[in-house]
Amino acid sequence: MLKIKKIDHVAVAVSDVDEALARYERLLGVEGRSREVVASQKTEVALLPLGETSIELISPKGNEGLARFLEKRGPGLHHIAVEVEGIEAALAALKALGVPLIDEAPRIGARGHKVAFVHPKATGGVLVELVEEAPPGEA
């Protein structure tokens, strides 16, 4: 059974994080709270806080899938991330239901959180990321 806690973030694919971050900060009147290169996913991300959730600006830094996404569709909504409790159990429950997964085991993503992606076939075309927050002091 999935134990969903909240929407963690909505990810927007961009070619240039600096330019997009400046645009979103002006538009929304908020400052980016964290920015990092996620070497394991070959991406650069910047988070803009919006209450209990964030907009994540994501740019490829060698990530071919994200680069193809931008070439094909241009900048825009890339995925929705939901925070779960017990990501391994969530993945096992989804797998048992026959839900197509991109990741059958979590990996480390931005902020040191465990992440795994559900295939867009499972949701009618929307890429969904499962996120489990890193324990305090480990992010």
Side-chain angles (χ1 to χ4, degrees), residues 53-131:
T53 190
S54 300
I55 292 176
E56 178 186 69
L57 303 175
I58 183 169
S59 176
K61 294 295 178 198
N63 183 308
E64 293 177 12
L66 185 56
R68 280 192 307 273
F69 177 94
L70 284 165
E71 287 171 16
K72 183 177 178 181
R73 300 181 184 176
L77 179 64
H78 185 261
H79 67 268
I80 297 171
V82 294
E83 184 180 339
V84 297
E85 185 177 309
I87 194 167
E88 288 88 355
L91 288 167
L94 291 170
K95 186 175 181 178
L97 291 171
V99 173
L101 304 170
I102 292 174
D103 300 303
E104 292 193 12
R107 49 191 156 131
I108 301 301
R111 300 171 284 162
H113 295 356
K114 291 181 182 179
V115 302
F117 286 88
V118 176
H119 199 284
K121 288 190 282 189
T123 61
V126 177
L127 182 61
V128 173
E129 178 183 20
L130 304 179
V131 176

